[in-house]
Amino acid sequence: MIYKNYPMVSRVVFGRGSFNQLDEILAPKRNGRNAPFIFYVDDVFKGNHWLTSRITLSYKDKIIYVPTKEEPKTSQIDKYVEEIILEYSELPSGIIGIGGGIVMDIAKAVSLMLTNKGESKDYQGWDLIKNPAIYHVGVPTISGTGAEVSRTTILTGPDRKLGINSDYTPFDQVILDPELTKDVPKDQWFYTGMDCFVHCVESLDGTFLNAFSQSYGEKAFDLCKEIFLGGHLTKEESQDKLMMASWHGGMSIAYSQVGVAHALSYGLSYLLGVKHGIGNCIVFDHLEDYYPEGVAMFKEMKTKHNIKLPLGICSDLDEDQIDIMINVALSLDPLWENAIGKNWKTKITREKLMALYKKM
């Protein structure tokens, strides 16, 4: 048996207000005045002095506001990389992603593609990246995705939605400041928090599970229960705990994998552009045959927080369109193997997936 030698985020700071330390964290990493820091910031913060005033620009540094209505595309990454190459004489000193999973994944992908030739679509898959990324930093402003700690960056390419999974993908530095999540709208808080909950259920119920993944997954699962089903936490305690649940949920995937919900939600995202958090919720709501206890608890959380999921998003699709989603879902072998086992192809049929999609 050969065990995977996993990379981890090498430095992390946690604490309310820790975002104030961004300058002093970056300063030693500057490679001269022609090597800028590029900040990718969720465009929801455009004009938000409370956050942006703490990003100090020197020399040729630049803030790029990222629209997050849609999941990141490989073409978008290639465009960002080309802009940097054309604008600067030297490689940036670092790429900083300040936002949710979309913005953090963009920061990870750009930092990888600046040192690896070709187009980002050619690196969708597992361990195709050959050269280390440039220095990159993640600053989550919403909790649940686990993007701050994962070894992937999820992109929608011309043919499929799939991550660039590699040992060079994880951030070199993460700043966990729960205060940055204070203005997240309630439905977004729920959908993204459920991404973490679903990570835990899929990891803990999976065939890839070992004690390493289990210890992280169980902790994140317990935190999600406390946050979404308990009633005793202050707003600040809830923010702190959800940020740590996201971290542990992401870590539990490191030695494990996600499962059925993620596979099907990638199909929704690829064809319909459904965002990942809400996509997971729409799918997970129908997976009682695969995760009975997890789905029951999810429905309880949904009721407690008065969340109404969109209905009938697949009702107007023809069979060819549903086939496209099924193809995307079935292409994710490791997810199905984790969920069902090595013989998953004998158990998961196109008809089963067609029936599930038609319920959504």
Side-chain angles (χ1 to χ4, degrees), residues 236-251:
E236 286 75 18
E237 286 170 336
S238 177
Q239 290 164 357
D240 291 5
K241 285 175 184 269
L242 189 54
M243 193 158 261
M244 287 321 300
S246 179
W247 182 273
H248 283 81
M251 282 299 302

Side-chain angles (χ1 to χ4, degrees), residues 260 264 283 286-287 289-290 322-323 326 329-330 336 340 343-360:
V260 181
L264 291 171
V283 173
H286 298 286
L287 295 186
D289 289 353
Y290 300 92
I322 294 181
D323 271 338
I326 292 171
L330 288 176
W336 291 105
I340 311 294
N343 62 342
W344 68 269
K345 287 183 180 170
T346 63
K347 294 181 179 175
I348 297 299
T349 62
R350 297 186 74 87
E351 291 70 35
K352 271 187 185 168
L353 300 195
M354 176 79 73
L356 277 168
Y357 275 130
K358 283 184 171 172
K359 284 183 189 172
M360 296 172 200

Side-chain angles (χ1 to χ4, degrees), residues 72-125:
K73 293 185 165 61
T74 52
S75 54
Q76 183 185 7
I77 301 304
D78 297 340
K79 181 172 139 295
Y80 283 143
V81 170
E82 190 180 11
E83 283 168 1
I84 291 171
I85 289 166
L86 292 174
E87 188 167 343
Y88 300 103
S89 55
E90 293 180 24
L91 278 179
S93 295
I95 303 289
I96 300 92
I98 302 170
I102 290 175
V103 178
M104 287 189 282
D105 279 356
I106 285 172
K108 288 195 276 191
V110 169
S111 70
L112 287 166
M113 292 310 302
L114 282 165
T115 55
N116 288 275
K117 288 187 166 49
E119 297 175 77
S120 50
K121 70 177 171 63
D122 300 331
Y123 295 97
Q124 285 181 285

Side-chain angles (χ1 to χ4, degrees), residues 7 108 111-112 129-133 136 151 166-171:
K108 288 195 276 191
S111 70
L112 287 166
I129 290 280
K130 297 288 178 277
N131 304 314
H136 50 305
R151 71 185 291 276
S166 84
D167 283 354
Y168 302 121
T169 306
F171 287 114

